[in-house]
Amino acid sequence: MIRINNIHLPLDYSDNTVIEKTAKELKIDKKSIKTASLYRRSIDARKKDNIFFLCSVDAELNISEEKIIKKAKNASIVNPYRYKIKEWRGSTPPVVVGMGPAGLFAALILAQSGAKPILIERGRDVDKRHKDVREFWLTGKLNTSSNVQFGEGGAGTFSDGKLNTGTKDIRQRKVLEEFAKHGAPDEILYNAKPHIGTDKLRITVKNIRNDIIALGGTVLFETKLVGINFKNSSVISAVAEQNGKTQIIETDNIILAIGHSARDTFEMLYSKDLPIEAKSFSIGARIEHLRENIDKAQYGRFAGNKRLGAASYKLNTHLNNGRGVYTFCMCPGGKVVNASSEENMLVTNGMSEFARDEINSNSALLVGVTPEDFKSDTPLAGMYFQRELEKRAFELGGCNYNAPVQKVEDFLKNRKTTNLGSVKPSICPSYELSDLNTILPDFISESMKLAIKALGKKLSGFDDGDAVLTGVETRSSSPIRILRNNETLESIAVNGLYPCGEGAGYAGGIISAAVDGIKCAEKIIEKNS
C-alpha cells in the first residue's frame, strides 16, 4: 500500500479521476494501479472562484511498490497505520462507568482483548432514550435520567456527530474505522471534517454495544455509580444502584467515563476526598443564521454544490479585555436543542442529522471563564456557576423549559426582542422572546458583543442583526479535572481508578474522548497481559 498526499481533485471528480491523478503523481501508467481510494479529503476554499478538494490517496499497485517509492523520492509517501491489541490475561473483569465515546471505546477495546468488561450507564438504551428526548422536546416533560446528556452514546448522540479533532494521536484512525465498521458512513474515513449525524450515530452506538456483548462484555442500563470502595489506596469494588437496589461489583479496575454533566457523581467523588481541581471552560449562547447565507459566505458561487454540502466555520478572537471568544460545535444545516438534564434548569446544544439540510445553521458562541471568575475556591465552584446560569435561563424562558431567545441586533443594543426577523429559532418545545443580557454576567455578555462585531469581519454576515441567540450554553466542557498520573492514567490517590474522557477533564469532543478511553483501556490491559 502506498499513500500519496497533496493530490488536487475537482469538485466533480470520479473514481477514474482519482486513478489518473494518482498515476500522474507516481509517474506510472494507470494500468499499474490495482486500487486507489481516498484516505483524506479536505476542502480548499481559500479562493472562492477556484474551490477544490485536497486529498491523500491509498493505492495498491500491480508492480513493485518499493521500487516506485524509491524512484519517486517523495517525502509525502507514508506507511498506513494499523492498530494492534494485546491479549487480556487478568482474572477480574474491569468496570467501565458511562457509555459516552470514552466509555464505549474503552469497553470495546477491553472486550476485543478478551477482558469481558462490565459497562454501566445511568441512562437508558439509545432507542428508549430517543423516545424520552423527543417527548421532552414536544411536551417539556423532562426525564432526569434519560435526556440529551444521559444515556447510551453520551451527549454526543444528540449533536452533529463531529469526528474532527486537533489531536494527532494515531488511535483516532482506530476510532474512525470502528465507527465505519458499525454503521457510520464510509466517508468519515477520508473527510477532513467528518461527521456522522445524530440519526446515524444512534444506530452506530447500538451496534458497538451489541459487539461488546457478543465479545463477552456485560452492559447494564439504568445503573448509576453511587460509590467506590478502596483498600490500601486501591480499588476493590464499585457500588451501583439499579431500580432502587444497591449492588457491589467486585473489581480492581474502574474507568470513570462519567461525562461532563454527572454533577451528583462529581459531588460523590469529592466527598470521598478524591483529588479534584476546578478548570477553565466556556459560557455563552447558541447563535443561529440562515444556512444559505453561511453557505454563500463560505463558498461563493459554489454554494449549494452537493459535494460541498452545508458550509461550516470555526472562528475565534482575542479581545482587548483579555477574554478569548470562539465558536464551538458548529452545526451546519442543524437545529438548536434543549439539552437540560436537571429540573428547573435550561441549557442548549446544537444538533445536525447526516444530511445537514435544515434551514438554519448554528454554533455555540463562547467566552472563556477561569476559576478566578467563580464565587468560591471549592473545586466544584464551576459546576455551581453553571447551575446558577441554567436556573436563570429556565426562569427567563417562563419556567416551562422554553428557551430565552434574542435577535443579535437587540442583544447588541441591550433591549428585549419583541419581534423576529428572517431567522426563526429552531429550539423545542418552544421559546420566549427575551433579553439575554439580564441573565449573563456582564463580562460574558460584553465579550460576546465585541466578538460578534469582530467575527463579522472574518465571516460575512456573522453579525447579521436578524441572527438569533438562544441561551444558555454552559456545557462545552467539564468544569472539573479529576487528577491522574500522566504515565499510568490512574488517579493520583487511588490505584486502579482511571478518570477518563471529557467529564474527567481530559478530552473535548467525540474523537478525543474515544481516544482517551482507548488509552485507559490499554493501561489496564498492560497490567493484565
Side-chain angles (χ1 to χ4, degrees):
M1 180 79 72
I2 296 179
R3 181 165 298 153
I4 309 97
N5 297 321
N6 300 319
I7 290 181
H8 292 202
L9 292 175
L11 298 184
D12 61 350
Y13 73 86
S14 64
D15 291 344
N16 190 54
T17 312
V18 176
I19 292 174
E20 289 177 347
K21 289 277 189 177
T22 302
K24 183 177 180 181
E25 290 293 322
L26 294 176
K27 299 178 181 179
I28 60 176
D29 189 285
K30 67 178 185 179
K31 293 180 180 179
S32 299
I33 298 176
K34 185 177 181 182
T35 63
S37 59
L38 295 182
Y39 174 77
R40 183 177 174 83
R41 183 182 73 179
S42 61
I43 300 169
D44 191 322
R46 289 173 293 179
K47 297 180 180 179
K48 297 295 185 284
D49 61 343
N50 183 29
I51 295 178
F52 60 89
F53 292 115
L54 184 61
C55 303
S56 295
V57 174
D58 281 350
E60 279 187 275
L61 307 184
N62 294 317
I63 56 179
S64 172
E65 293 177 357
E66 185 177 348
K67 288 182 179 180
I68 293 299
I69 291 173
K70 288 181 179 180
K71 182 179 178 181
K73 297 180 181 180
N74 190 338
S76 65
I77 295 176
V78 296
N79 291 320
Y81 162 73
R82 293 291 180 266
Y83 186 82
K84 295 181 180 179
I85 302 174
K86 292 184 179 180
E87 183 180 352
W88 173 267
R89 298 187 183 280
S91 57
T92 306
V95 172
V96 179
V97 183
M99 285 187 72
L104 205 60
F105 273 83
L108 180 63
I109 295 301
L110 288 166
Q112 290 176 346
S113 77
K116 299 182 180 180
I118 299 171
L119 178 56
I120 68 173
E121 166 57 50
R122 69 190 295 165
R124 309 179 81 184
D125 69 73
V126 73
D127 291 328
K128 293 177 182 176
R129 181 188 181 199
H130 183 234
K131 292 180 181 178
D132 293 334
V133 170
R134 290 294 174 184
E135 182 179 8
F136 173 54
W137 288 344
L138 288 172
T139 68
K141 181 181 178 182
L142 176 66
N143 183 328
T144 56
S145 295
S146 181
N147 46 62
V148 170
Q149 308 296 345
F150 300 139
E152 184 174 23
T157 302
F158 294 93
S159 71
D160 181 57
K162 284 182 186 59
L163 302 179
N164 50 304
T165 176
T167 179
K168 300 296 183 182
D169 195 291
I170 55 177
R171 296 172 184 83
Q172 65 177 302
R173 185 65 185 181
K174 170 68 171 175
V175 176
L176 293 175
E177 289 174 351
E178 290 294 347
F179 272 132
K181 173 184 173 183
H182 289 92
D186 286 341
E187 68 179 52
I188 69 169
L189 295 173
Y190 56 79
N191 276 343
K193 295 181 179 180
H195 87 289
I196 300 180
T198 182
D199 49 336
K200 296 184 183 296
L201 195 54
R202 295 196 301 270
I203 298 168
T204 304
V205 298
K206 181 164 61 174
N207 289 339
I208 293 175
R209 176 240 299 173
N210 289 334
D211 206 6
I212 291 169
I213 294 171
L215 290 168
T218 300
V219 177
L220 302 175
F221 290 109
E222 300 179 61
T223 303
K224 178 182 172 183
L225 180 75
V226 294
I228 301 172
N229 292 324
F230 314 127
K231 185 177 181 180
N232 298 326
S233 299
S234 295
V235 168
I236 59 171
S237 64
V239 184
E241 185 179 87
Q242 184 182 56
N243 297 325
K245 296 181 179 180
T246 300
Q247 59 178 310
I248 306 297
I249 305 174
E250 294 185 0
T251 183
D252 44 21
N253 291 290
I254 297 175
I255 292 180
L256 277 178
I258 52 180
H260 59 38
S261 295
R263 293 168 171 171
D264 50 359
T265 308
F266 293 164
E267 290 174 325
M268 180 271 289
L269 296 172
Y270 183 53
S271 72
K272 289 184 170 291
D273 297 322
L274 201 70
I276 295 173
E277 66 179 12
K279 61 178 277 291
S280 299
F281 59 101
S282 301
I283 296 286
R286 279 273 148 183
I287 186 166
E288 205 164 7
H289 302 84
L290 289 174
R291 186 190 77 217
E292 64 177 358
N293 291 346
I294 297 298
D295 292 352
K296 289 176 182 176
Q298 291 292 67
Y299 296 147
R301 67 184 179 88
F302 292 98
N305 185 290
K306 290 184 179 180
R307 273 250 171 91
L308 292 174
S312 63
Y313 57 76
K314 187 176 182 179
L315 306 170
N316 65 83
T317 183
H318 191 78
L319 304 174
N320 291 334
N321 65 9
R323 298 283 175 179
V325 185
Y326 62 101
T327 63
F328 175 76
C329 188
M330 195 268 165
C331 297
K335 293 181 178 181
V336 177
V337 299
N338 192 325
S340 299
S341 60
E342 293 180 299
E343 290 183 353
N344 302 328
M345 297 184 197
L346 192 145
V347 59
T348 64
N349 198 5
M351 181 183 80
S352 300
E353 295 197 342
F354 180 71
R356 287 177 164 175
D357 57 359
E358 296 289 343
I359 193 169
N360 292 344
S361 290
N362 73 81
S363 74
L365 179 64
L366 301 176
V367 180
V369 298
T370 69
E372 287 71 34
D373 295 314
F374 309 147
K375 293 181 179 179
S376 74
D377 57 3
T378 171
L380 303 183
M383 183 185 82
Y384 299 135
F385 184 55
Q386 291 174 322
R387 274 179 166 163
E388 180 182 345
L389 294 180
E390 291 169 19
K391 184 175 183 294
R392 291 183 193 175
F394 177 78
E395 293 171 347
L396 186 62
C399 297
N400 54 7
Y401 295 107
N402 289 341
V405 304
Q406 185 176 21
K407 285 198 306 184
V408 162
E409 177 186 11
D410 296 328
F411 179 70
L412 295 176
K413 294 180 178 179
N414 295 304
R415 68 190 184 198
K416 178 181 178 180
T417 290
T418 56
N419 62 332
L420 296 168
S422 59
V423 182
K424 302 298 185 289
S426 58
I427 195 165
C428 293
S430 190
Y431 55 84
E432 185 75 21
L433 300 181
S434 308
D435 182 1
L436 295 177
N437 290 287
T438 63
I439 62 169
L440 291 170
D442 289 344
F443 78 88
I444 291 178
S445 59
E446 293 307 311
S447 295
M448 288 172 63
K449 290 170 190 172
L450 292 171
I452 287 171
K453 296 174 183 177
L455 298 181
K457 297 176 181 178
K458 294 186 176 185
L459 178 65
S460 177
F462 187 84
D463 55 351
D464 179 9
D466 276 359
V468 169
L469 291 166
T470 306
V472 290
E473 175 114 358
T474 58
R475 304 193 198 178
S476 58
S477 65
S478 179
I480 68 160
R481 180 173 288 111
I482 305 173
L483 302 182
R484 71 185 188 187
N485 183 292
N486 290 334
E487 293 298 321
T488 67
L489 304 188
E490 294 168 294
S491 162
I492 62 173
V494 182
N495 297 323
L497 184 64
Y498 296 81
C500 179
E502 192 164 334
Y506 295 98
I510 292 174
I511 290 288
S512 60
V515 165
D516 200 54
I518 292 174
K519 288 180 179 178
C520 290
E522 289 172 347
K523 291 296 183 182
I524 295 176
I525 295 168
E526 285 173 13
K527 288 199 308 183
N528 292 273
S529 297

